[in-house]
Amino acid sequence: SERLTPELAVLMRRSGCYYVSFGIESGSPEILRRMRKQLDLDRLEGQVDLVRKAGMAVNGFFLHGFPGETAEDRERTLALALRLPLDRALFYSFAPLPGSECWTGLDEDQRPDWSRLTEYDVAYVPHGSTELELKRFQRRALLRFYLRPRVLLRLAMNLRSRRQLRFLFRKGLAYRSKAPVNWCPKCQTVLANEQVAGGACERCDTTVTQKDLTQWFFKITAYAQRLLDGHAKLDWPEKTIAMQKHWIGRSEGGNLR
């Protein structure tokens, strides 16, 4: 972002760029110093404005759970995310990688659980924090960021037309159906798998049950083959193609006679 100029932003948009992501990481100058990230927080808002004025959407990436981070540091990060004119924000839990400076000196029991290195889980807990604190912060940060009229309106405006919605319904690609969900009887709410720890709600420790609720679904299986066929037109590395096919996950069952 330090090299971004109004002229460069305009050229980016003219070339077809429509989305720019900023790796902001933290709203705490002290944590940024520990990360050795040379980000000028005083200039950041102006840089984000440059991108938006050029007609591109802006995403912000944030980290929490960095070694030495305090609850006050996390609050500074959230305050920054709410202050910036971002279209989207993602709050990831930090995990030190092997060979990095943060990895050196880690105790065996403090090394990340790589099976939990997902967007909404905690793979690493630094000294001075708890897993529950990090999970609660991430959930609160996402709710605080997205449940604002300005952000909700902006997301709604990204729907190109009612015609697109009618097409989804008419083709049966969007439909309502009952399906089991994780349900907390005490909180009276649905929980993601990452919010269930040992069969209990991470917030109140109440035993989680399965409950059938009517939900909206997108029938991605209807166009899975079309996505797979499109790979033949892409000049991508084989490893990337294989990852995409795995993500689509199309399979065919057998016939029993």
Side-chain angles (χ1 to χ4, degrees), residues 148-184:
R148 293 180 293 164
R150 175 171 61 86
V151 176
L152 291 174
L153 179 61
R154 191 175 294 163
L155 292 173
M157 293 294 289
N158 286 334
L159 293 175
R160 296 179 184 270
S161 68
R162 294 181 181 178
R163 183 179 178 183
Q164 287 184 332
L165 294 177
R166 288 197 297 267
F167 173 82
L168 290 174
F169 295 135
R170 191 165 57 247
K171 295 294 184 178
L173 298 179
Y175 63 97
R176 297 184 74 188
S177 179
K178 279 194 172 184
V181 297
N182 297 320
W183 179 260
C184 176

PDB file of all heavy atoms in Angstrom, residues 148-184:
ATOM      1  N   ARG A 148     -23.585  -4.083  10.278  1.00  0.00           N
ATOM      2  CA  ARG A 148     -23.723  -2.631  10.236  1.00  0.00           C
ATOM      3  C   ARG A 148     -24.501  -2.262   8.982  1.00  0.00           C
ATOM      4  O   ARG A 148     -24.275  -2.859   7.915  1.00  0.00           O
ATOM      5  CB  ARG A 148     -22.351  -1.948  10.217  1.00  0.00           C
ATOM      6  CG  ARG A 148     -21.545  -2.125  11.490  1.00  0.00           C
ATOM      7  CD  ARG A 148     -20.209  -1.410  11.390  1.00  0.00           C
ATOM      8  NE  ARG A 148     -19.343  -2.021  10.393  1.00  0.00           N
ATOM      9  CZ  ARG A 148     -18.253  -1.426   9.892  1.00  0.00           C
ATOM     10  NH1 ARG A 148     -17.921  -0.213  10.286  1.00  0.00           N
ATOM     11  NH2 ARG A 148     -17.518  -2.049   8.993  1.00  0.00           N
ATOM     12  N   PRO A 149     -25.422  -1.317   9.061  1.00  0.00           N
ATOM     13  CA  PRO A 149     -26.237  -0.969   7.891  1.00  0.00           C
ATOM     14  C   PRO A 149     -25.415  -0.649   6.647  1.00  0.00           C
ATOM     15  O   PRO A 149     -25.762  -1.075   5.546  1.00  0.00           O
ATOM     16  CB  PRO A 149     -27.026   0.260   8.375  1.00  0.00           C
ATOM     17  CG  PRO A 149     -27.117   0.079   9.851  1.00  0.00           C
ATOM     18  CD  PRO A 149     -25.819  -0.558  10.261  1.00  0.00           C
ATOM     19  N   ARG A 150     -24.311   0.092   6.822  1.00  0.00           N
ATOM     20  CA  ARG A 150     -23.500   0.477   5.663  1.00  0.00           C
ATOM     21  C   ARG A 150     -22.927  -0.745   4.953  1.00  0.00           C
ATOM     22  O   ARG A 150     -22.947  -0.836   3.720  1.00  0.00           O
ATOM     23  CB  ARG A 150     -22.363   1.389   6.123  1.00  0.00           C
ATOM     24  CG  ARG A 150     -21.387   1.764   5.020  1.00  0.00           C
ATOM     25  CD  ARG A 150     -20.421   2.833   5.512  1.00  0.00           C
ATOM     26  NE  ARG A 150     -19.619   2.366   6.639  1.00  0.00           N
ATOM     27  CZ  ARG A 150     -18.479   1.684   6.491  1.00  0.00           C
ATOM     28  NH1 ARG A 150     -18.037   1.375   5.280  1.00  0.00           N
ATOM     29  NH2 ARG A 150     -17.799   1.303   7.538  1.00  0.00           N
ATOM     30  N   VAL A 151     -22.430  -1.710   5.730  1.00  0.00           N
ATOM     31  CA  VAL A 151     -21.830  -2.903   5.135  1.00  0.00           C
ATOM     32  C   VAL A 151     -22.907  -3.799   4.524  1.00  0.00           C
ATOM     33  O   VAL A 151     -22.745  -4.312   3.415  1.00  0.00           O
ATOM     34  CB  VAL A 151     -21.013  -3.673   6.188  1.00  0.00           C
ATOM     35  CG1 VAL A 151     -20.474  -4.975   5.603  1.00  0.00           C
ATOM     36  CG2 VAL A 151     -19.869  -2.809   6.701  1.00  0.00           C
ATOM     37  N   LEU A 152     -24.015  -3.994   5.227  1.00  0.00           N
ATOM     38  CA  LEU A 152     -25.094  -4.824   4.706  1.00  0.00           C
ATOM     39  C   LEU A 152     -25.645  -4.250   3.400  1.00  0.00           C
ATOM     40  O   LEU A 152     -25.924  -4.984   2.452  1.00  0.00           O
ATOM     41  CB  LEU A 152     -26.211  -4.941   5.740  1.00  0.00           C
ATOM     42  CG  LEU A 152     -25.873  -5.748   7.002  1.00  0.00           C
ATOM     43  CD1 LEU A 152     -27.013  -5.652   8.000  1.00  0.00           C
ATOM     44  CD2 LEU A 152     -25.596  -7.204   6.653  1.00  0.00           C
ATOM     45  N   LEU A 153     -25.799  -2.933   3.348  1.00  0.00           N
ATOM     46  CA  LEU A 153     -26.304  -2.298   2.128  1.00  0.00           C
ATOM     47  C   LEU A 153     -25.323  -2.477   0.986  1.00  0.00           C
ATOM     48  O   LEU A 153     -25.713  -2.768  -0.145  1.00  0.00           O
ATOM     49  CB  LEU A 153     -26.557  -0.810   2.381  1.00  0.00           C
ATOM     50  CG  LEU A 153     -27.061   0.003   1.176  1.00  0.00           C
ATOM     51  CD1 LEU A 153     -28.393  -0.555   0.699  1.00  0.00           C
ATOM     52  CD2 LEU A 153     -27.186   1.469   1.544  1.00  0.00           C
ATOM     53  N   ARG A 154     -24.044  -2.349   1.287  1.00  0.00           N
ATOM     54  CA  ARG A 154     -23.028  -2.493   0.244  1.00  0.00           C
ATOM     55  C   ARG A 154     -23.016  -3.919  -0.303  1.00  0.00           C
ATOM     56  O   ARG A 154     -22.875  -4.136  -1.512  1.00  0.00           O
ATOM     57  CB  ARG A 154     -21.659  -2.132   0.821  1.00  0.00           C
ATOM     58  CG  ARG A 154     -20.561  -1.979  -0.213  1.00  0.00           C
ATOM     59  CD  ARG A 154     -19.290  -1.517   0.458  1.00  0.00           C
ATOM     60  NE  ARG A 154     -19.449  -0.166   0.999  1.00  0.00           N
ATOM     61  CZ  ARG A 154     -18.635   0.348   1.900  1.00  0.00           C
ATOM     62  NH1 ARG A 154     -17.637  -0.353   2.391  1.00  0.00           N
ATOM     63  NH2 ARG A 154     -18.824   1.580   2.329  1.00  0.00           N
ATOM     64  N   LEU A 155     -23.167  -4.908   0.570  1.00  0.00           N
ATOM     65  CA  LEU A 155     -23.206  -6.299   0.119  1.00  0.00           C
ATOM     66  C   LEU A 155     -24.446  -6.555  -0.730  1.00  0.00           C
ATOM     67  O   LEU A 155     -24.399  -7.263  -1.742  1.00  0.00           O
ATOM     68  CB  LEU A 155     -23.181  -7.244   1.317  1.00  0.00           C
ATOM     69  CG  LEU A 155     -21.879  -7.291   2.120  1.00  0.00           C
ATOM     70  CD1 LEU A 155     -22.049  -8.141   3.366  1.00  0.00           C
ATOM     71  CD2 LEU A 155     -20.738  -7.823   1.269  1.00  0.00           C
ATOM     72  N   ALA A 156     -25.574  -5.973  -0.316  1.00  0.00           N
ATOM     73  CA  ALA A 156     -26.807  -6.143  -1.088  1.00  0.00           C
ATOM     74  C   ALA A 156     -26.693  -5.517  -2.467  1.00  0.00           C
ATOM     75  O   ALA A 156     -27.224  -6.036  -3.452  1.00  0.00           O
ATOM     76  CB  ALA A 156     -27.980  -5.532  -0.330  1.00  0.00           C
ATOM     77  N   MET A 157     -25.966  -4.393  -2.538  1.00  0.00           N
ATOM     78  CA  MET A 157     -25.804  -3.713  -3.824  1.00  0.00           C
ATOM     79  C   MET A 157     -24.966  -4.526  -4.800  1.00  0.00           C
ATOM     80  O   MET A 157     -25.012  -4.299  -6.011  1.00  0.00           O
ATOM     81  CB  MET A 157     -25.154  -2.347  -3.607  1.00  0.00           C
ATOM     82  CG  MET A 157     -26.030  -1.354  -2.846  1.00  0.00           C
ATOM     83  SD  MET A 157     -27.498  -0.861  -3.759  1.00  0.00           S
ATOM     84  CE  MET A 157     -26.761   0.161  -5.027  1.00  0.00           C
ATOM     85  N   ASN A 158     -24.193  -5.488  -4.276  1.00  0.00           N
ATOM     86  CA  ASN A 158     -23.384  -6.322  -5.160  1.00  0.00           C
ATOM     87  C   ASN A 158     -24.215  -7.345  -5.921  1.00  0.00           C
ATOM     88  O   ASN A 158     -23.725  -7.976  -6.861  1.00  0.00           O
ATOM     89  CB  ASN A 158     -22.295  -7.043  -4.357  1.00  0.00           C
ATOM     90  CG  ASN A 158     -21.175  -6.107  -3.954  1.00  0.00           C
ATOM     91  OD1 ASN A 158     -20.938  -5.102  -4.614  1.00  0.00           O
ATOM     92  ND2 ASN A 158     -20.492  -6.425  -2.872  1.00  0.00           N
ATOM     93  N   LEU A 159     -25.479  -7.551  -5.493  1.00  0.00           N
ATOM     94  CA  LEU A 159     -26.378  -8.385  -6.285  1.00  0.00           C
ATOM     95  C   LEU A 159     -26.694  -7.612  -7.554  1.00  0.00           C
ATOM     96  O   LEU A 159     -27.272  -6.526  -7.518  1.00  0.00           O
ATOM     97  CB  LEU A 159     -27.659  -8.683  -5.505  1.00  0.00           C
ATOM     98  CG  LEU A 159     -27.491  -9.567  -4.272  1.00  0.00           C
ATOM     99  CD1 LEU A 159     -28.816  -9.683  -3.531  1.00  0.00           C
ATOM    100  CD2 LEU A 159     -27.005 -10.950  -4.672  1.00  0.00           C
ATOM    101  N   ARG A 160     -26.326  -8.154  -8.689  1.00  0.00           N
ATOM    102  CA  ARG A 160     -26.395  -7.383  -9.928  1.00  0.00           C
ATOM    103  C   ARG A 160     -27.826  -7.059 -10.348  1.00  0.00           C
ATOM    104  O   ARG A 160     -28.090  -5.987 -10.870  1.00  0.00           O
ATOM    105  CB  ARG A 160     -25.677  -8.143 -11.049  1.00  0.00           C
ATOM    106  CG  ARG A 160     -24.178  -8.302 -10.778  1.00  0.00           C
ATOM    107  CD  ARG A 160     -23.521  -9.079 -11.890  1.00  0.00           C
ATOM    108  NE  ARG A 160     -22.115  -9.303 -11.581  1.00  0.00           N
ATOM    109  CZ  ARG A 160     -21.131  -8.479 -11.914  1.00  0.00           C
ATOM    110  NH1 ARG A 160     -21.421  -7.367 -12.560  1.00  0.00           N
ATOM    111  NH2 ARG A 160     -19.892  -8.757 -11.613  1.00  0.00           N
ATOM    112  N   SER A 161     -28.760  -7.968 -10.127  1.00  0.00           N
ATOM    113  CA  SER A 161     -30.127  -7.684 -10.545  1.00  0.00           C
ATOM    114  C   SER A 161     -31.080  -8.710  -9.942  1.00  0.00           C
ATOM    115  O   SER A 161     -30.671  -9.795  -9.525  1.00  0.00           O
ATOM    116  CB  SER A 161     -30.239  -7.724 -12.076  1.00  0.00           C
ATOM    117  OG  SER A 161     -30.048  -9.047 -12.554  1.00  0.00           O
ATOM    118  N   ARG A 162     -32.361  -8.348  -9.895  1.00  0.00           N
ATOM    119  CA  ARG A 162     -33.379  -9.300  -9.468  1.00  0.00           C
ATOM    120  C   ARG A 162     -33.499 -10.438 -10.466  1.00  0.00           C
ATOM    121  O   ARG A 162     -33.903 -11.547 -10.112  1.00  0.00           O
ATOM    122  CB  ARG A 162     -34.722  -8.584  -9.351  1.00  0.00           C
ATOM    123  CG  ARG A 162     -34.767  -7.540  -8.235  1.00  0.00           C
ATOM    124  CD  ARG A 162     -36.119  -6.901  -8.159  1.00  0.00           C
ATOM    125  NE  ARG A 162     -36.178  -5.876  -7.121  1.00  0.00           N
ATOM    126  CZ  ARG A 162     -37.241  -5.140  -6.866  1.00  0.00           C
ATOM    127  NH1 ARG A 162     -38.342  -5.301  -7.598  1.00  0.00           N
ATOM    128  NH2 ARG A 162     -37.210  -4.235  -5.913  1.00  0.00           N
ATOM    129  N   ARG A 163     -33.132 -10.141 -11.702  1.00  0.00           N
ATOM    130  CA  ARG A 163     -33.201 -11.180 -12.734  1.00  0.00           C
ATOM    131  C   ARG A 163     -32.304 -12.362 -12.376  1.00  0.00           C
ATOM    132  O   ARG A 163     -32.664 -13.517 -12.606  1.00  0.00           O
ATOM    133  CB  ARG A 163     -32.778 -10.581 -14.071  1.00  0.00           C
ATOM    134  CG  ARG A 163     -32.867 -11.549 -15.241  1.00  0.00           C
ATOM    135  CD  ARG A 163     -32.447 -10.867 -16.531  1.00  0.00           C
ATOM    136  NE  ARG A 163     -32.472 -11.783 -17.648  1.00  0.00           N
ATOM    137  CZ  ARG A 163     -32.085 -11.457 -18.878  1.00  0.00           C
ATOM    138  NH1 ARG A 163     -31.662 -10.227 -19.121  1.00  0.00           N
ATOM    139  NH2 ARG A 163     -32.132 -12.343 -19.850  1.00  0.00           N
ATOM    140  N   GLN A 164     -31.136 -12.070 -11.799  1.00  0.00           N
ATOM    141  CA  GLN A 164     -30.238 -13.151 -11.392  1.00  0.00           C
ATOM    142  C   GLN A 164     -30.871 -14.012 -10.311  1.00  0.00           C
ATOM    143  O   GLN A 164     -30.765 -15.238 -10.335  1.00  0.00           O
ATOM    144  CB  GLN A 164     -28.924 -12.558 -10.885  1.00  0.00           C
ATOM    145  CG  GLN A 164     -28.043 -11.986 -11.975  1.00  0.00           C
ATOM    146  CD  GLN A 164     -26.726 -11.504 -11.435  1.00  0.00           C
ATOM    147  OE1 GLN A 164     -26.634 -11.120 -10.270  1.00  0.00           O
ATOM    148  NE2 GLN A 164     -25.699 -11.508 -12.267  1.00  0.00           N
ATOM    149  N   LEU A 165     -31.531 -13.375  -9.348  1.00  0.00           N
ATOM    150  CA  LEU A 165     -32.183 -14.128  -8.288  1.00  0.00           C
ATOM    151  C   LEU A 165     -33.311 -14.988  -8.840  1.00  0.00           C
ATOM    152  O   LEU A 165     -33.470 -16.145  -8.459  1.00  0.00           O
ATOM    153  CB  LEU A 165     -32.723 -13.168  -7.228  1.00  0.00           C
ATOM    154  CG  LEU A 165     -31.660 -12.389  -6.436  1.00  0.00           C
ATOM    155  CD1 LEU A 165     -32.344 -11.418  -5.484  1.00  0.00           C
ATOM    156  CD2 LEU A 165     -30.750 -13.329  -5.681  1.00  0.00           C
ATOM    157  N   ARG A 166     -34.108 -14.415  -9.754  1.00  0.00           N
ATOM    158  CA  ARG A 166     -35.207 -15.187 -10.354  1.00  0.00           C
ATOM    159  C   ARG A 166     -34.662 -16.383 -11.126  1.00  0.00           C
ATOM    160  O   ARG A 166     -35.253 -17.469 -11.118  1.00  0.00           O
ATOM    161  CB  ARG A 166     -36.043 -14.292 -11.276  1.00  0.00           C
ATOM    162  CG  ARG A 166     -36.902 -13.277 -10.541  1.00  0.00           C
ATOM    163  CD  ARG A 166     -37.981 -12.729 -11.450  1.00  0.00           C
ATOM    164  NE  ARG A 166     -37.405 -12.012 -12.586  1.00  0.00           N
ATOM    165  CZ  ARG A 166     -37.177 -10.700 -12.605  1.00  0.00           C
ATOM    166  NH1 ARG A 166     -37.430  -9.967 -11.540  1.00  0.00           N
ATOM    167  NH2 ARG A 166     -36.666 -10.128 -13.668  1.00  0.00           N
ATOM    168  N   PHE A 167     -33.506 -16.190 -11.787  1.00  0.00           N
ATOM    169  CA  PHE A 167     -32.893 -17.288 -12.530  1.00  0.00           C
ATOM    170  C   PHE A 167     -32.521 -18.433 -11.590  1.00  0.00           C
ATOM    171  O   PHE A 167     -32.763 -19.607 -11.893  1.00  0.00           O
ATOM    172  CB  PHE A 167     -31.641 -16.786 -13.265  1.00  0.00           C
ATOM    173  CG  PHE A 167     -30.834 -17.880 -13.918  1.00  0.00           C
ATOM    174  CD1 PHE A 167     -31.203 -18.379 -15.155  1.00  0.00           C
ATOM    175  CD2 PHE A 167     -29.720 -18.417 -13.282  1.00  0.00           C
ATOM    176  CE1 PHE A 167     -30.465 -19.386 -15.751  1.00  0.00           C
ATOM    177  CE2 PHE A 167     -28.985 -19.422 -13.873  1.00  0.00           C
ATOM    178  CZ  PHE A 167     -29.358 -19.909 -15.111  1.00  0.00           C
ATOM    179  N   LEU A 168     -31.949 -18.101 -10.422  1.00  0.00           N
ATOM    180  CA  LEU A 168     -31.551 -19.136  -9.460  1.00  0.00           C
ATOM    181  C   LEU A 168     -32.756 -19.945  -8.993  1.00  0.00           C
ATOM    182  O   LEU A 168     -32.700 -21.176  -8.899  1.00  0.00           O
ATOM    183  CB  LEU A 168     -30.853 -18.495  -8.261  1.00  0.00           C
ATOM    184  CG  LEU A 168     -29.464 -17.896  -8.507  1.00  0.00           C
ATOM    185  CD1 LEU A 168     -28.981 -17.170  -7.261  1.00  0.00           C
ATOM    186  CD2 LEU A 168     -28.470 -18.974  -8.905  1.00  0.00           C
ATOM    187  N   PHE A 169     -33.861 -19.238  -8.706  1.00  0.00           N
ATOM    188  CA  PHE A 169     -35.055 -19.932  -8.230  1.00  0.00           C
ATOM    189  C   PHE A 169     -35.682 -20.767  -9.341  1.00  0.00           C
ATOM    190  O   PHE A 169     -36.108 -21.897  -9.127  1.00  0.00           O
ATOM    191  CB  PHE A 169     -36.067 -18.917  -7.698  1.00  0.00           C
ATOM    192  CG  PHE A 169     -35.587 -18.177  -6.493  1.00  0.00           C
ATOM    193  CD1 PHE A 169     -35.738 -16.808  -6.389  1.00  0.00           C
ATOM    194  CD2 PHE A 169     -34.951 -18.841  -5.455  1.00  0.00           C
ATOM    195  CE1 PHE A 169     -35.296 -16.114  -5.271  1.00  0.00           C
ATOM    196  CE2 PHE A 169     -34.501 -18.167  -4.332  1.00  0.00           C
ATOM    197  CZ  PHE A 169     -34.671 -16.798  -4.241  1.00  0.00           C
ATOM    198  N   ARG A 170     -35.772 -20.190 -10.547  1.00  0.00           N
ATOM    199  CA  ARG A 170     -36.439 -20.878 -11.647  1.00  0.00           C
ATOM    200  C   ARG A 170     -35.705 -22.154 -12.045  1.00  0.00           C
ATOM    201  O   ARG A 170     -36.315 -23.158 -12.421  1.00  0.00           O
ATOM    202  CB  ARG A 170     -36.546 -19.924 -12.845  1.00  0.00           C
ATOM    203  CG  ARG A 170     -37.448 -20.440 -13.960  1.00  0.00           C
ATOM    204  CD  ARG A 170     -37.828 -19.350 -14.951  1.00  0.00           C
ATOM    205  NE  ARG A 170     -36.654 -18.722 -15.538  1.00  0.00           N
ATOM    206  CZ  ARG A 170     -36.293 -17.465 -15.338  1.00  0.00           C
ATOM    207  NH1 ARG A 170     -37.004 -16.698 -14.522  1.00  0.00           N
ATOM    208  NH2 ARG A 170     -35.229 -16.960 -15.912  1.00  0.00           N
ATOM    209  N   LYS A 171     -34.364 -22.116 -11.984  1.00  0.00           N
ATOM    210  CA  LYS A 171     -33.568 -23.281 -12.352  1.00  0.00           C
ATOM    211  C   LYS A 171     -33.401 -24.264 -11.193  1.00  0.00           C
ATOM    212  O   LYS A 171     -32.766 -25.308 -11.354  1.00  0.00           O
ATOM    213  CB  LYS A 171     -32.177 -22.838 -12.836  1.00  0.00           C
ATOM    214  CG  LYS A 171     -32.190 -22.023 -14.117  1.00  0.00           C
ATOM    215  CD  LYS A 171     -32.667 -22.852 -15.295  1.00  0.00           C
ATOM    216  CE  LYS A 171     -32.577 -22.076 -16.583  1.00  0.00           C
ATOM    217  NZ  LYS A 171     -33.006 -22.884 -17.759  1.00  0.00           N
ATOM    218  N   GLY A 172     -33.962 -23.926 -10.053  1.00  0.00           N
ATOM    219  CA  GLY A 172     -33.843 -24.811  -8.900  1.00  0.00           C
ATOM    220  C   GLY A 172     -32.468 -24.805  -8.261  1.00  0.00           C
ATOM    221  O   GLY A 172     -32.132 -25.718  -7.497  1.00  0.00           O
ATOM    222  N   LEU A 173     -31.666 -23.776  -8.563  1.00  0.00           N
ATOM    223  CA  LEU A 173     -30.327 -23.697  -7.999  1.00  0.00           C
ATOM    224  C   LEU A 173     -30.352 -23.114  -6.583  1.00  0.00           C
ATOM    225  O   LEU A 173     -29.414 -23.293  -5.819  1.00  0.00           O
ATOM    226  CB  LEU A 173     -29.425 -22.839  -8.893  1.00  0.00           C
ATOM    227  CG  LEU A 173     -29.226 -23.374 -10.316  1.00  0.00           C
ATOM    228  CD1 LEU A 173     -28.334 -22.444 -11.108  1.00  0.00           C
ATOM    229  CD2 LEU A 173     -28.624 -24.776 -10.286  1.00  0.00           C
ATOM    230  N   ALA A 174     -31.414 -22.400  -6.246  1.00  0.00           N
ATOM    231  CA  ALA A 174     -31.616 -21.908  -4.876  1.00  0.00           C
ATOM    232  C   ALA A 174     -32.934 -22.488  -4.380  1.00  0.00           C
ATOM    233  O   ALA A 174     -33.960 -22.365  -5.047  1.00  0.00           O
ATOM    234  CB  ALA A 174     -31.646 -20.384  -4.848  1.00  0.00           C
ATOM    235  N   TYR A 175     -32.912 -23.150  -3.245  1.00  0.00           N
ATOM    236  CA  TYR A 175     -34.127 -23.798  -2.755  1.00  0.00           C
ATOM    237  C   TYR A 175     -34.093 -23.879  -1.228  1.00  0.00           C
ATOM    238  O   TYR A 175     -33.041 -23.721  -0.603  1.00  0.00           O
ATOM    239  CB  TYR A 175     -34.252 -25.209  -3.350  1.00  0.00           C
ATOM    240  CG  TYR A 175     -33.141 -26.152  -2.953  1.00  0.00           C
ATOM    241  CD1 TYR A 175     -33.303 -27.046  -1.892  1.00  0.00           C
ATOM    242  CD2 TYR A 175     -31.935 -26.158  -3.643  1.00  0.00           C
ATOM    243  CE1 TYR A 175     -32.288 -27.906  -1.528  1.00  0.00           C
ATOM    244  CE2 TYR A 175     -30.909 -27.016  -3.282  1.00  0.00           C
ATOM    245  CZ  TYR A 175     -31.088 -27.885  -2.228  1.00  0.00           C
ATOM    246  OH  TYR A 175     -30.086 -28.741  -1.859  1.00  0.00           O
ATOM    247  N   ARG A 176     -35.252 -24.118  -0.636  1.00  0.00           N
ATOM    248  CA  ARG A 176     -35.369 -24.264   0.812  1.00  0.00           C
ATOM    249  C   ARG A 176     -35.606 -25.726   1.162  1.00  0.00           C
ATOM    250  O   ARG A 176     -36.346 -26.421   0.467  1.00  0.00           O
ATOM    251  CB  ARG A 176     -36.509 -23.412   1.355  1.00  0.00           C
ATOM    252  CG  ARG A 176     -36.328 -21.929   1.153  1.00  0.00           C
ATOM    253  CD  ARG A 176     -37.460 -21.145   1.798  1.00  0.00           C
ATOM    254  NE  ARG A 176     -37.331 -21.129   3.251  1.00  0.00           N
ATOM    255  CZ  ARG A 176     -38.265 -20.645   4.068  1.00  0.00           C
ATOM    256  NH1 ARG A 176     -39.404 -20.177   3.581  1.00  0.00           N
ATOM    257  NH2 ARG A 176     -38.075 -20.638   5.373  1.00  0.00           N
ATOM    258  N   SER A 177     -34.958 -26.154   2.238  1.00  0.00           N
ATOM    259  CA  SER A 177     -35.120 -27.539   2.663  1.00  0.00           C
ATOM    260  C   SER A 177     -34.731 -27.646   4.134  1.00  0.00           C
ATOM    261  O   SER A 177     -34.042 -26.779   4.667  1.00  0.00           O
ATOM    262  CB  SER A 177     -34.236 -28.462   1.824  1.00  0.00           C
ATOM    263  OG  SER A 177     -34.360 -29.802   2.248  1.00  0.00           O
ATOM    264  N   LYS A 178     -35.194 -28.720   4.770  1.00  0.00           N
ATOM    265  CA  LYS A 178     -34.814 -28.958   6.162  1.00  0.00           C
ATOM    266  C   LYS A 178     -33.511 -29.739   6.214  1.00  0.00           C
ATOM    267  O   LYS A 178     -33.273 -30.643   5.409  1.00  0.00           O
ATOM    268  CB  LYS A 178     -35.916 -29.725   6.893  1.00  0.00           C
ATOM    269  CG  LYS A 178     -37.061 -28.850   7.371  1.00  0.00           C
ATOM    270  CD  LYS A 178     -37.939 -29.592   8.362  1.00  0.00           C
ATOM    271  CE  LYS A 178     -38.972 -28.650   8.977  1.00  0.00           C
ATOM    272  NZ  LYS A 178     -39.780 -29.330  10.021  1.00  0.00           N
ATOM    273  N   ALA A 179     -32.673 -29.373   7.181  1.00  0.00           N
ATOM    274  CA  ALA A 179     -31.398 -30.065   7.364  1.00  0.00           C
ATOM    275  C   ALA A 179     -30.979 -29.921   8.825  1.00  0.00           C
ATOM    276  O   ALA A 179     -31.329 -28.939   9.492  1.00  0.00           O
ATOM    277  CB  ALA A 179     -30.326 -29.478   6.451  1.00  0.00           C
ATOM    278  N   PRO A 180     -30.241 -30.913   9.350  1.00  0.00           N
ATOM    279  CA  PRO A 180     -29.810 -30.836  10.757  1.00  0.00           C
ATOM    280  C   PRO A 180     -28.717 -29.795  10.965  1.00  0.00           C
ATOM    281  O   PRO A 180     -27.841 -29.618  10.110  1.00  0.00           O
ATOM    282  CB  PRO A 180     -29.285 -32.258  11.035  1.00  0.00           C
ATOM    283  CG  PRO A 180     -28.884 -32.781   9.689  1.00  0.00           C
ATOM    284  CD  PRO A 180     -29.835 -32.178   8.709  1.00  0.00           C
ATOM    285  N   VAL A 181     -28.791 -29.105  12.096  1.00  0.00           N
ATOM    286  CA  VAL A 181     -27.789 -28.105  12.463  1.00  0.00           C
ATOM    287  C   VAL A 181     -27.374 -28.325  13.911  1.00  0.00           C
ATOM    288  O   VAL A 181     -28.067 -28.995  14.681  1.00  0.00           O
ATOM    289  CB  VAL A 181     -28.339 -26.665  12.306  1.00  0.00           C
ATOM    290  CG1 VAL A 181     -28.692 -26.374  10.862  1.00  0.00           C
ATOM    291  CG2 VAL A 181     -29.557 -26.460  13.210  1.00  0.00           C
ATOM    292  N   ASN A 182     -26.221 -27.762  14.268  1.00  0.00           N
ATOM    293  CA  ASN A 182     -25.798 -27.762  15.670  1.00  0.00           C
ATOM    294  C   ASN A 182     -26.623 -26.710  16.417  1.00  0.00           C
ATOM    295  O   ASN A 182     -26.636 -25.535  16.031  1.00  0.00           O
ATOM    296  CB  ASN A 182     -24.313 -27.423  15.776  1.00  0.00           C
ATOM    297  CG  ASN A 182     -23.429 -28.449  15.099  1.00  0.00           C
ATOM    298  OD1 ASN A 182     -23.675 -29.646  15.180  1.00  0.00           O
ATOM    299  ND2 ASN A 182     -22.395 -27.990  14.417  1.00  0.00           N
ATOM    300  N   TRP A 183     -27.298 -27.114  17.493  1.00  0.00           N
ATOM    301  CA  TRP A 183     -28.200 -26.204  18.200  1.00  0.00           C
ATOM    302  C   TRP A 183     -27.843 -26.145  19.685  1.00  0.00           C
ATOM    303  O   TRP A 183     -27.691 -27.167  20.345  1.00  0.00           O
ATOM    304  CB  TRP A 183     -29.640 -26.678  18.045  1.00  0.00           C
ATOM    305  CG  TRP A 183     -30.652 -25.828  18.753  1.00  0.00           C
ATOM    306  CD1 TRP A 183     -31.249 -26.063  19.951  1.00  0.00           C
ATOM    307  CD2 TRP A 183     -31.172 -24.579  18.298  1.00  0.00           C
ATOM    308  NE1 TRP A 183     -32.109 -25.047  20.272  1.00  0.00           N
ATOM    309  CE2 TRP A 183     -32.099 -24.112  19.272  1.00  0.00           C
ATOM    310  CE3 TRP A 183     -30.959 -23.797  17.158  1.00  0.00           C
ATOM    311  CZ2 TRP A 183     -32.788 -22.915  19.140  1.00  0.00           C
ATOM    312  CZ3 TRP A 183     -31.651 -22.604  17.021  1.00  0.00           C
ATOM    313  CH2 TRP A 183     -32.551 -22.177  18.003  1.00  0.00           C
ATOM    314  N   CYS A 184     -27.671 -24.907  20.195  1.00  0.00           N
ATOM    315  CA  CYS A 184     -27.420 -24.712  21.621  1.00  0.00           C
ATOM    316  C   CYS A 184     -28.744 -24.360  22.299  1.00  0.00           C
ATOM    317  O   CYS A 184     -29.301 -23.281  22.037  1.00  0.00           O
ATOM    318  CB  CYS A 184     -26.402 -23.602  21.855  1.00  0.00           C
ATOM    319  SG  CYS A 184     -26.152 -23.237  23.614  1.00  0.00           S
TER     320      CYS A 184
END
